[in-house]
Amino acid sequence: YTQSRAILRFASTLAGIIPTDPLVVLKGEEVQSSIDDFAKTIPFSKDEEEKKTKREQWAEDETNGLPKFFKWLDAKLEANGGTFTGSSDITIYDLELLALIATFAEGVFDHVPVDK
């Protein structure tokens, strides 16, 4: 099996952390869809210098870049109690969010500072 989201869903099913409450699902799906939209904003280029310039700008862009997404995310988490995406318990959506945050914290994206 090669798709990370399919593996995550499988493991989450085994762990019993796929929510059944429709409101929790709505909140989680909103975050999941926003992660998908956000991922499309990450600059890529075959030209390394162009990629470096674009990613550095994106990492600082309050309007359409990295800070905008994390400010939105902070507000969502705060509205949901400050810990998890949609309830007081961890769900599949929190694990997907954790994977995204870990990607940035570990410096996987070159030219994007890990302290952002």
PDB file of all heavy atoms in Angstrom, residues 48-72:
ATOM      1  N   GLU A  48      16.691  26.035  -8.851  1.00  0.00           N
ATOM      2  CA  GLU A  48      16.933  26.067  -7.411  1.00  0.00           C
ATOM      3  C   GLU A  48      16.930  27.491  -6.843  1.00  0.00           C
ATOM      4  O   GLU A  48      16.390  27.742  -5.767  1.00  0.00           O
ATOM      5  CB  GLU A  48      18.254  25.377  -7.080  1.00  0.00           C
ATOM      6  CG  GLU A  48      18.451  25.105  -5.616  1.00  0.00           C
ATOM      7  CD  GLU A  48      17.401  24.196  -5.002  1.00  0.00           C
ATOM      8  OE1 GLU A  48      16.869  23.298  -5.685  1.00  0.00           O
ATOM      9  OE2 GLU A  48      17.083  24.394  -3.807  1.00  0.00           O
ATOM     10  N   GLU A  49      17.508  28.429  -7.555  1.00  0.00           N
ATOM     11  CA  GLU A  49      17.543  29.823  -7.074  1.00  0.00           C
ATOM     12  C   GLU A  49      16.130  30.416  -7.045  1.00  0.00           C
ATOM     13  O   GLU A  49      15.767  31.124  -6.104  1.00  0.00           O
ATOM     14  CB  GLU A  49      18.480  30.653  -7.952  1.00  0.00           C
ATOM     15  CG  GLU A  49      18.949  31.927  -7.306  1.00  0.00           C
ATOM     16  CD  GLU A  49      19.631  31.726  -5.954  1.00  0.00           C
ATOM     17  OE1 GLU A  49      20.417  30.780  -5.782  1.00  0.00           O
ATOM     18  OE2 GLU A  49      19.357  32.537  -5.052  1.00  0.00           O
ATOM     19  N   GLU A  50      15.338  30.133  -8.069  1.00  0.00           N
ATOM     20  CA  GLU A  50      13.955  30.611  -8.109  1.00  0.00           C
ATOM     21  C   GLU A  50      13.140  29.989  -6.979  1.00  0.00           C
ATOM     22  O   GLU A  50      12.371  30.672  -6.305  1.00  0.00           O
ATOM     23  CB  GLU A  50      13.320  30.272  -9.458  1.00  0.00           C
ATOM     24  CG  GLU A  50      11.871  30.715  -9.567  1.00  0.00           C
ATOM     25  CD  GLU A  50      11.221  30.317 -10.881  1.00  0.00           C
ATOM     26  OE1 GLU A  50      11.853  29.609 -11.699  1.00  0.00           O
ATOM     27  OE2 GLU A  50      10.068  30.710 -11.088  1.00  0.00           O
ATOM     28  N   LYS A  51      13.330  28.692  -6.753  1.00  0.00           N
ATOM     29  CA  LYS A  51      12.620  28.015  -5.662  1.00  0.00           C
ATOM     30  C   LYS A  51      12.994  28.634  -4.320  1.00  0.00           C
ATOM     31  O   LYS A  51      12.123  28.892  -3.484  1.00  0.00           O
ATOM     32  CB  LYS A  51      12.925  26.518  -5.670  1.00  0.00           C
ATOM     33  CG  LYS A  51      12.203  25.762  -4.557  1.00  0.00           C
ATOM     34  CD  LYS A  51      12.346  24.259  -4.676  1.00  0.00           C
ATOM     35  CE  LYS A  51      13.725  23.795  -4.365  1.00  0.00           C
ATOM     36  NZ  LYS A  51      13.838  22.321  -4.319  1.00  0.00           N
ATOM     37  N   LYS A  52      14.282  28.887  -4.119  1.00  0.00           N
ATOM     38  CA  LYS A  52      14.756  29.488  -2.870  1.00  0.00           C
ATOM     39  C   LYS A  52      14.090  30.842  -2.648  1.00  0.00           C
ATOM     40  O   LYS A  52      13.548  31.108  -1.566  1.00  0.00           O
ATOM     41  CB  LYS A  52      16.276  29.640  -2.909  1.00  0.00           C
ATOM     42  CG  LYS A  52      16.873  30.264  -1.667  1.00  0.00           C
ATOM     43  CD  LYS A  52      18.389  30.381  -1.809  1.00  0.00           C
ATOM     44  CE  LYS A  52      19.076  30.841  -0.560  1.00  0.00           C
ATOM     45  NZ  LYS A  52      18.717  32.147  -0.093  1.00  0.00           N
ATOM     46  N   THR A  53      14.095  31.692  -3.648  1.00  0.00           N
ATOM     47  CA  THR A  53      13.487  33.023  -3.532  1.00  0.00           C
ATOM     48  C   THR A  53      12.001  32.928  -3.232  1.00  0.00           C
ATOM     49  O   THR A  53      11.490  33.584  -2.322  1.00  0.00           O
ATOM     50  CB  THR A  53      13.713  33.829  -4.832  1.00  0.00           C
ATOM     51  OG1 THR A  53      15.117  33.955  -5.053  1.00  0.00           O
ATOM     52  CG2 THR A  53      13.069  35.198  -4.747  1.00  0.00           C
ATOM     53  N   LYS A  54      11.310  32.088  -3.996  1.00  0.00           N
ATOM     54  CA  LYS A  54       9.854  31.968  -3.813  1.00  0.00           C
ATOM     55  C   LYS A  54       9.494  31.388  -2.438  1.00  0.00           C
ATOM     56  O   LYS A  54       8.553  31.841  -1.798  1.00  0.00           O
ATOM     57  CB  LYS A  54       9.253  31.107  -4.919  1.00  0.00           C
ATOM     58  CG  LYS A  54       9.180  31.818  -6.247  1.00  0.00           C
ATOM     59  CD  LYS A  54       8.507  30.957  -7.296  1.00  0.00           C
ATOM     60  CE  LYS A  54       8.326  31.728  -8.594  1.00  0.00           C
ATOM     61  NZ  LYS A  54       7.614  30.932  -9.603  1.00  0.00           N
ATOM     62  N   ARG A  55      10.239  30.388  -1.994  1.00  0.00           N
ATOM     63  CA  ARG A  55       9.926  29.784  -0.691  1.00  0.00           C
ATOM     64  C   ARG A  55      10.232  30.729   0.460  1.00  0.00           C
ATOM     65  O   ARG A  55       9.494  30.771   1.445  1.00  0.00           O
ATOM     66  CB  ARG A  55      10.666  28.467  -0.520  1.00  0.00           C
ATOM     67  CG  ARG A  55      10.025  27.373  -1.331  1.00  0.00           C
ATOM     68  CD  ARG A  55      10.390  26.021  -0.835  1.00  0.00           C
ATOM     69  NE  ARG A  55       9.715  25.005  -1.622  1.00  0.00           N
ATOM     70  CZ  ARG A  55      10.051  23.738  -1.602  1.00  0.00           C
ATOM     71  NH1 ARG A  55      11.043  23.334  -0.837  1.00  0.00           N
ATOM     72  NH2 ARG A  55       9.387  22.874  -2.333  1.00  0.00           N
ATOM     73  N   GLU A  56      11.307  31.482   0.350  1.00  0.00           N
ATOM     74  CA  GLU A  56      11.616  32.451   1.401  1.00  0.00           C
ATOM     75  C   GLU A  56      10.526  33.513   1.490  1.00  0.00           C
ATOM     76  O   GLU A  56      10.117  33.902   2.577  1.00  0.00           O
ATOM     77  CB  GLU A  56      12.988  33.079   1.159  1.00  0.00           C
ATOM     78  CG  GLU A  56      14.123  32.115   1.443  1.00  0.00           C
ATOM     79  CD  GLU A  56      15.487  32.655   1.059  1.00  0.00           C
ATOM     80  OE1 GLU A  56      15.571  33.677   0.342  1.00  0.00           O
ATOM     81  OE2 GLU A  56      16.497  32.029   1.455  1.00  0.00           O
ATOM     82  N   GLN A  57      10.042  33.978   0.339  1.00  0.00           N
ATOM     83  CA  GLN A  57       8.949  34.957   0.324  1.00  0.00           C
ATOM     84  C   GLN A  57       7.671  34.343   0.887  1.00  0.00           C
ATOM     85  O   GLN A  57       6.965  34.961   1.681  1.00  0.00           O
ATOM     86  CB  GLN A  57       8.714  35.469  -1.096  1.00  0.00           C
ATOM     87  CG  GLN A  57       9.823  36.334  -1.617  1.00  0.00           C
ATOM     88  CD  GLN A  57       9.690  36.638  -3.102  1.00  0.00           C
ATOM     89  OE1 GLN A  57       8.905  36.025  -3.821  1.00  0.00           O
ATOM     90  NE2 GLN A  57      10.496  37.586  -3.575  1.00  0.00           N
ATOM     91  N   TRP A  58       7.376  33.128   0.483  1.00  0.00           N
ATOM     92  CA  TRP A  58       6.167  32.423   0.927  1.00  0.00           C
ATOM     93  C   TRP A  58       6.182  32.211   2.439  1.00  0.00           C
ATOM     94  O   TRP A  58       5.161  32.329   3.097  1.00  0.00           O
ATOM     95  CB  TRP A  58       6.084  31.100   0.173  1.00  0.00           C
ATOM     96  CG  TRP A  58       4.985  30.187   0.564  1.00  0.00           C
ATOM     97  CD1 TRP A  58       3.680  30.248   0.164  1.00  0.00           C
ATOM     98  CD2 TRP A  58       5.090  29.046   1.413  1.00  0.00           C
ATOM     99  NE1 TRP A  58       2.966  29.220   0.712  1.00  0.00           N
ATOM    100  CE2 TRP A  58       3.820  28.459   1.483  1.00  0.00           C
ATOM    101  CE3 TRP A  58       6.142  28.457   2.109  1.00  0.00           C
ATOM    102  CZ2 TRP A  58       3.559  27.315   2.229  1.00  0.00           C
ATOM    103  CZ3 TRP A  58       5.884  27.320   2.852  1.00  0.00           C
ATOM    104  CH2 TRP A  58       4.605  26.770   2.909  1.00  0.00           C
ATOM    105  N   ALA A  59       7.362  31.920   2.989  1.00  0.00           N
ATOM    106  CA  ALA A  59       7.482  31.688   4.427  1.00  0.00           C
ATOM    107  C   ALA A  59       7.198  32.947   5.240  1.00  0.00           C
ATOM    108  O   ALA A  59       6.859  32.862   6.421  1.00  0.00           O
ATOM    109  CB  ALA A  59       8.878  31.154   4.754  1.00  0.00           C
ATOM    110  N   GLU A  60       7.316  34.120   4.609  1.00  0.00           N
ATOM    111  CA  GLU A  60       7.075  35.394   5.288  1.00  0.00           C
ATOM    112  C   GLU A  60       5.748  36.041   4.911  1.00  0.00           C
ATOM    113  O   GLU A  60       5.322  36.998   5.560  1.00  0.00           O
ATOM    114  CB  GLU A  60       8.205  36.374   4.959  1.00  0.00           C
ATOM    115  CG  GLU A  60       9.579  35.906   5.380  1.00  0.00           C
ATOM    116  CD  GLU A  60       9.746  35.878   6.886  1.00  0.00           C
ATOM    117  OE1 GLU A  60       9.106  36.690   7.578  1.00  0.00           O
ATOM    118  OE2 GLU A  60      10.513  35.029   7.372  1.00  0.00           O
ATOM    119  N   ASP A  61       5.081  35.549   3.886  1.00  0.00           N
ATOM    120  CA  ASP A  61       3.886  36.185   3.317  1.00  0.00           C
ATOM    121  C   ASP A  61       2.673  36.041   4.239  1.00  0.00           C
ATOM    122  O   ASP A  61       2.077  34.974   4.353  1.00  0.00           O
ATOM    123  CB  ASP A  61       3.577  35.578   1.947  1.00  0.00           C
ATOM    124  CG  ASP A  61       2.462  36.289   1.206  1.00  0.00           C
ATOM    125  OD1 ASP A  61       1.776  37.148   1.799  1.00  0.00           O
ATOM    126  OD2 ASP A  61       2.259  35.976   0.021  1.00  0.00           O
ATOM    127  N   GLU A  62       2.292  37.139   4.883  1.00  0.00           N
ATOM    128  CA  GLU A  62       1.157  37.158   5.806  1.00  0.00           C
ATOM    129  C   GLU A  62      -0.182  37.033   5.088  1.00  0.00           C
ATOM    130  O   GLU A  62      -1.192  36.679   5.685  1.00  0.00           O
ATOM    131  CB  GLU A  62       1.171  38.457   6.627  1.00  0.00           C
ATOM    132  CG  GLU A  62       2.395  38.639   7.488  1.00  0.00           C
ATOM    133  CD  GLU A  62       2.349  37.831   8.769  1.00  0.00           C
ATOM    134  OE1 GLU A  62       1.249  37.481   9.212  1.00  0.00           O
ATOM    135  OE2 GLU A  62       3.433  37.555   9.319  1.00  0.00           O
ATOM    136  N   THR A  63      -0.205  37.339   3.793  1.00  0.00           N
ATOM    137  CA  THR A  63      -1.451  37.353   3.036  1.00  0.00           C
ATOM    138  C   THR A  63      -1.808  35.998   2.446  1.00  0.00           C
ATOM    139  O   THR A  63      -2.961  35.578   2.492  1.00  0.00           O
ATOM    140  CB  THR A  63      -1.370  38.386   1.891  1.00  0.00           C
ATOM    141  OG1 THR A  63      -1.001  39.650   2.459  1.00  0.00           O
ATOM    142  CG2 THR A  63      -2.688  38.517   1.179  1.00  0.00           C
ATOM    143  N   ASN A  64      -0.827  35.301   1.877  1.00  0.00           N
ATOM    144  CA  ASN A  64      -1.117  34.043   1.180  1.00  0.00           C
ATOM    145  C   ASN A  64      -0.147  32.915   1.500  1.00  0.00           C
ATOM    146  O   ASN A  64      -0.206  31.870   0.864  1.00  0.00           O
ATOM    147  CB  ASN A  64      -1.101  34.272  -0.339  1.00  0.00           C
ATOM    148  CG  ASN A  64      -2.211  35.190  -0.769  1.00  0.00           C
ATOM    149  OD1 ASN A  64      -3.352  34.976  -0.435  1.00  0.00           O
ATOM    150  ND2 ASN A  64      -1.859  36.239  -1.490  1.00  0.00           N
ATOM    151  N   GLY A  65       0.723  33.086   2.463  1.00  0.00           N
ATOM    152  CA  GLY A  65       1.763  32.091   2.684  1.00  0.00           C
ATOM    153  C   GLY A  65       1.624  31.321   3.979  1.00  0.00           C
ATOM    154  O   GLY A  65       0.533  31.182   4.551  1.00  0.00           O
ATOM    155  N   LEU A  66       2.736  30.832   4.427  1.00  0.00           N
ATOM    156  CA  LEU A  66       2.827  30.005   5.621  1.00  0.00           C
ATOM    157  C   LEU A  66       2.223  30.669   6.862  1.00  0.00           C
ATOM    158  O   LEU A  66       1.425  30.040   7.562  1.00  0.00           O
ATOM    159  CB  LEU A  66       4.306  29.642   5.837  1.00  0.00           C
ATOM    160  CG  LEU A  66       4.672  28.673   6.927  1.00  0.00           C
ATOM    161  CD1 LEU A  66       4.046  27.312   6.668  1.00  0.00           C
ATOM    162  CD2 LEU A  66       6.184  28.545   7.019  1.00  0.00           C
ATOM    163  N   PRO A  67       2.535  31.927   7.161  1.00  0.00           N
ATOM    164  CA  PRO A  67       1.961  32.545   8.361  1.00  0.00           C
ATOM    165  C   PRO A  67       0.434  32.606   8.329  1.00  0.00           C
ATOM    166  O   PRO A  67      -0.221  32.410   9.357  1.00  0.00           O
ATOM    167  CB  PRO A  67       2.551  33.960   8.378  1.00  0.00           C
ATOM    168  CG  PRO A  67       3.777  33.879   7.551  1.00  0.00           C
ATOM    169  CD  PRO A  67       3.492  32.833   6.506  1.00  0.00           C
ATOM    170  N   LYS A  68      -0.135  32.858   7.164  1.00  0.00           N
ATOM    171  CA  LYS A  68      -1.595  32.927   7.048  1.00  0.00           C
ATOM    172  C   LYS A  68      -2.231  31.598   7.442  1.00  0.00           C
ATOM    173  O   LYS A  68      -3.192  31.562   8.209  1.00  0.00           O
ATOM    174  CB  LYS A  68      -2.007  33.289   5.620  1.00  0.00           C
ATOM    175  CG  LYS A  68      -3.508  33.303   5.422  1.00  0.00           C
ATOM    176  CD  LYS A  68      -3.875  33.546   3.983  1.00  0.00           C
ATOM    177  CE  LYS A  68      -5.387  33.464   3.814  1.00  0.00           C
ATOM    178  NZ  LYS A  68      -5.797  33.569   2.429  1.00  0.00           N
ATOM    179  N   PHE A  69      -1.688  30.503   6.930  1.00  0.00           N
ATOM    180  CA  PHE A  69      -2.262  29.196   7.237  1.00  0.00           C
ATOM    181  C   PHE A  69      -2.170  28.893   8.727  1.00  0.00           C
ATOM    182  O   PHE A  69      -3.140  28.458   9.342  1.00  0.00           O
ATOM    183  CB  PHE A  69      -1.577  28.081   6.438  1.00  0.00           C
ATOM    184  CG  PHE A  69      -2.076  26.718   6.806  1.00  0.00           C
ATOM    185  CD1 PHE A  69      -3.313  26.283   6.356  1.00  0.00           C
ATOM    186  CD2 PHE A  69      -1.332  25.886   7.616  1.00  0.00           C
ATOM    187  CE1 PHE A  69      -3.792  25.026   6.703  1.00  0.00           C
ATOM    188  CE2 PHE A  69      -1.802  24.628   7.966  1.00  0.00           C
ATOM    189  CZ  PHE A  69      -3.035  24.198   7.508  1.00  0.00           C
ATOM    190  N   PHE A  70      -0.997  29.134   9.328  1.00  0.00           N
ATOM    191  CA  PHE A  70      -0.849  28.793  10.732  1.00  0.00           C
ATOM    192  C   PHE A  70      -1.640  29.725  11.654  1.00  0.00           C
ATOM    193  O   PHE A  70      -2.093  29.290  12.716  1.00  0.00           O
ATOM    194  CB  PHE A  70       0.625  28.687  11.117  1.00  0.00           C
ATOM    195  CG  PHE A  70       1.212  27.369  10.691  1.00  0.00           C
ATOM    196  CD1 PHE A  70       2.074  27.300   9.614  1.00  0.00           C
ATOM    197  CD2 PHE A  70       0.867  26.201  11.322  1.00  0.00           C
ATOM    198  CE1 PHE A  70       2.595  26.077   9.198  1.00  0.00           C
ATOM    199  CE2 PHE A  70       1.366  24.966  10.925  1.00  0.00           C
ATOM    200  CZ  PHE A  70       2.234  24.905   9.852  1.00  0.00           C
ATOM    201  N   LYS A  71      -1.863  30.943  11.258  1.00  0.00           N
ATOM    202  CA  LYS A  71      -2.753  31.826  12.040  1.00  0.00           C
ATOM    203  C   LYS A  71      -4.185  31.300  11.972  1.00  0.00           C
ATOM    204  O   LYS A  71      -4.897  31.275  12.969  1.00  0.00           O
ATOM    205  CB  LYS A  71      -2.680  33.266  11.525  1.00  0.00           C
ATOM    206  CG  LYS A  71      -1.443  33.983  11.961  1.00  0.00           C
ATOM    207  CD  LYS A  71      -1.413  35.406  11.434  1.00  0.00           C
ATOM    208  CE  LYS A  71      -0.105  36.062  11.795  1.00  0.00           C
ATOM    209  NZ  LYS A  71       0.032  37.396  11.250  1.00  0.00           N
ATOM    210  N   TRP A  72      -4.610  30.901  10.772  1.00  0.00           N
ATOM    211  CA  TRP A  72      -5.947  30.325  10.612  1.00  0.00           C
ATOM    212  C   TRP A  72      -6.077  29.062  11.462  1.00  0.00           C
ATOM    213  O   TRP A  72      -7.063  28.868  12.169  1.00  0.00           O
ATOM    214  CB  TRP A  72      -6.210  30.000   9.133  1.00  0.00           C
ATOM    215  CG  TRP A  72      -7.501  29.284   8.923  1.00  0.00           C
ATOM    216  CD1 TRP A  72      -8.734  29.850   8.752  1.00  0.00           C
ATOM    217  CD2 TRP A  72      -7.697  27.865   8.863  1.00  0.00           C
ATOM    218  NE1 TRP A  72      -9.681  28.869   8.596  1.00  0.00           N
ATOM    219  CE2 TRP A  72      -9.074  27.645   8.663  1.00  0.00           C
ATOM    220  CE3 TRP A  72      -6.859  26.774   8.960  1.00  0.00           C
ATOM    221  CZ2 TRP A  72      -9.626  26.368   8.561  1.00  0.00           C
ATOM    222  CZ3 TRP A  72      -7.390  25.496   8.866  1.00  0.00           C
ATOM    223  CH2 TRP A  72      -8.757  25.312   8.664  1.00  0.00           C
TER     224      TRP A  72
END
